Amino acid sequence: KKKIDVMEQENDVLAIKTVMCTHNKNGGVQEEALRALDRLALNDEHLQQISDEGGIELIVSTMTVHLRIAGVQQWACAVLERLCCKAEYFEKTSNSKGIESVLGAMRGHPEESGVQEHGCMVLYRLAYNANIQGRITGLGGIHAVLVAMEKHKNRPGVQEWACAALSSLAFDDNDNQKEIGKRGILNVLTAMEKHTKKGEVQIYACLALCNLAGTEEAVCEENQATMAEEGGIESVVRCMQHHRAAAQLQVEACDALHNLAVHHSENKTRIARSDAIEQVLEAMKLHIKESSVQSSGLSALWVCCEDSATVQSKVAKSEGIHQVHETMRVHRNEPKLQALGIRVLLCIELKLWPSRMIKDIHKLVALVVALDASAFTSSDNSAVAQELKSLQEEGSKLLSALDDFQDKKVSDLSSSSDSSDENYSEGGGRGGGEEEQTDHDYDDDQGEESDESEESDESDEWNGERKSSRLTDKRTKNGECKSPGDRKSSRLDGQRKNYCVGDEDEDSDKGSPNKRRRD
């Protein structure tokens, strides 16, 4: 052990490998050597050296010889996981029977949480590759991960990486999604409930739910229904509330809500009845400068609003129109976010929009649509051209809809004004035996004309704001004067969201997980 410690301090990978070969029958030596390699493998140069010097094959061989020693299995899996962080080592690990060795370790030591945790980590990394994903499934990898979750429910590390492994195994594979869904959904939701303060558990649990629900092109309706029935929507909302400051968690939660709602009207209704919409909007407000949060939030709003009047109304009442406008204003140089924002706005009926937002959004969209590709920041010119084309098409639709809506509004006001004038004229022409109009009646008519004039001014100004005369203080029955702020209309009560950030989670969510993303 002392010699291995010295070798580690000298970064001598080759010497540690020599010790392992010389004392290949000694389990204690193998465990210490693997522990040292795990620490050295934090460096990319050492990783390369381990691979070049036949380290992967040696590790797999050691796992086979010392199958009954849990420490050997745990640290061997740990080193393999470090190697699998790099895509160039995927095939080499897979072809060296690394998958079989890892699954053998997990089956041989079901009660050892360290073995299960590191085993799930390796499976999570390897399942990135679609071909390797199929091999893991064929060798019983899904069952091994589910057993680990069921035996170690109180171990956050095991739950975190088991959820991560399920997310990779479920990605873009409908058969795996169905197989995992039978037992895995309940396991994932249990992990979220038991480890509410562990941000990393919540992140990978949301990612697992997202991938288990399928994609827009191939949804898994059985899993979508099961998640909702078992309280999946509420679990996602709770984790968003507990970890408001964790941007990556908010991204995964929004993506989970997106996939739960895709082509599923019942789930959209459930989402509307929960606090999900408010939490998505709060995440967007709190992380306004984070493009990833804005993208996932807008995508979730778009899918939920589509063909759902209930969600549209909820978004409008929760000041969602304002938040979408703010996102588009802050991220004006990102065509993808602009296009997503416009799609959300197109989904919501214009009669639900706050009047004050129509002019502002029209002006912003008109400016964005007029920009050319050089105005957007991206390293991929072809992608920018594609996004810009989509943006211009969607933006033109929205501008046309806004213009038509405003024209109709002006027309309706004009018709109403003409009708009032005609009635007034008829009333004055009856004459004859009728009494003259009193001063009081005349004052009332003047008030009606004043109101109509205000409505016309509102249309001309195109900002929906009432004249200051409508906001002047009025006397109450007790003679007290109330300010405009004190006279909040009862129909607005409860509709304003208090965007106060709650107590921050004592666990800080560090960094973004290295994973594949749903586009």
Side-chain angles (χ1 to χ4, degrees), residues 183-422:
R183 290 165 55 195
I185 290 173
L186 192 57
N187 287 348
V188 171
L189 296 177
T190 300
M192 296 180 76
E193 183 179 353
K194 280 186 170 291
H195 305 283
T196 54
K197 292 186 177 181
K198 298 296 182 181
E200 294 296 334
V201 174
Q202 302 297 319
I203 285 176
Y204 286 113
C206 285
L207 179 59
L209 294 178
C210 175
N211 289 348
L212 284 169
T215 62
E216 290 185 51
E217 294 76 19
V219 297
C220 185
E221 293 182 5
E222 301 97 314
N223 286 355
Q224 285 179 314
T226 301
M227 289 179 203
E229 290 166 3
E230 296 293 341
I233 294 171
E234 292 76 13
S235 294
V236 172
V237 172
R238 276 196 299 272
C239 83
M240 295 179 78
Q241 293 169 338
H242 280 100
H243 302 273
R244 288 180 171 89
Q248 189 60 40
L249 186 146
Q250 301 297 323
V251 169
E252 304 305 340
C254 288
D255 287 346
L257 291 173
H258 173 282
N259 281 11
L260 277 164
V262 169
H263 308 313
H264 204 293
S265 58
E266 291 182 12
N267 281 2
K268 290 181 183 181
T269 302
R270 285 189 173 106
I271 287 172
R273 289 173 180 168
S274 71
D275 293 330
I277 298 299
E278 290 89 342
Q279 288 305 313
V280 170
L281 293 172
E282 183 173 349
M284 293 173 67
K285 182 180 177 69
L286 186 60
H287 302 280
I288 187 63
K289 293 185 178 180
E290 293 286 343
S291 296
S292 57
V293 176
Q294 303 305 312
S295 177
S296 294
L298 289 172
S299 296
L301 292 177
W302 176 31
V303 167
C304 290
C305 284
E306 202 170 29
D307 301 323
S308 176
T310 308
V311 179
Q312 292 174 26
S313 178
K314 187 79 173 281
V315 171
K317 290 179 180 179
S318 303
E319 297 193 351
I321 306 292
H322 171 78
Q323 184 56 54
V324 173
H325 172 264
E326 185 67 7
T327 296
M328 294 175 68
R329 185 188 67 79
V330 173
H331 298 272
R332 196 172 295 182
N333 293 335
E334 298 184 49
K336 182 179 179 181
L337 291 183
Q338 298 296 323
L340 281 171
I342 289 171
R343 285 168 192 156
V344 174
L345 295 173
L346 282 169
C347 284
I348 302 174
E349 291 189 48
L350 289 170
K351 65 182 182 182
L352 298 174
W353 288 33
S355 299
R356 68 184 188 277
M357 295 304 306
I358 294 179
K359 181 179 178 181
D360 293 341
I361 289 176
H362 189 285
K363 185 186 296 184
L364 176 62
V365 174
L367 288 173
V368 171
V369 170
L371 295 175
D372 58 24
S374 62
F376 299 107
T377 56
S378 176
S379 57
D380 189 345
N381 293 330
S382 61
V384 167
Q386 184 84 15
E387 290 170 352
L388 184 59
K389 181 180 178 182
S390 174
L391 171 60
Q392 290 172 339
E393 291 175 353
E394 302 286 348
S396 298
K397 288 181 185 177
L398 181 58
L399 291 175
S400 178
L402 289 171
D403 289 337
D404 292 344
F405 179 76
Q406 190 63 16
D407 289 344
K408 185 177 183 301
K409 187 176 180 182
V410 172
S411 176
D412 291 345
L413 287 173
S414 177
S415 300
S416 175
S417 177
D418 291 343
S419 176
S420 298
D421 290 343
E422 183 178 346

Side-chain angles (χ1 to χ4, degrees), residues 473-485:
D473 294 342
K474 296 183 179 179
R475 296 283 176 181
T476 64
K477 291 182 179 179
N478 297 326
E480 297 175 351
C481 184
K482 286 192 173 183
S483 67

Side-chain angles (χ1 to χ4, degrees), residues 128-143:
Y128 280 148
N129 183 294
N131 295 327
I132 299 177
Q133 180 191 55
R135 286 190 57 196
I136 293 172
T137 303
L139 292 169
I142 292 174
H143 178 73

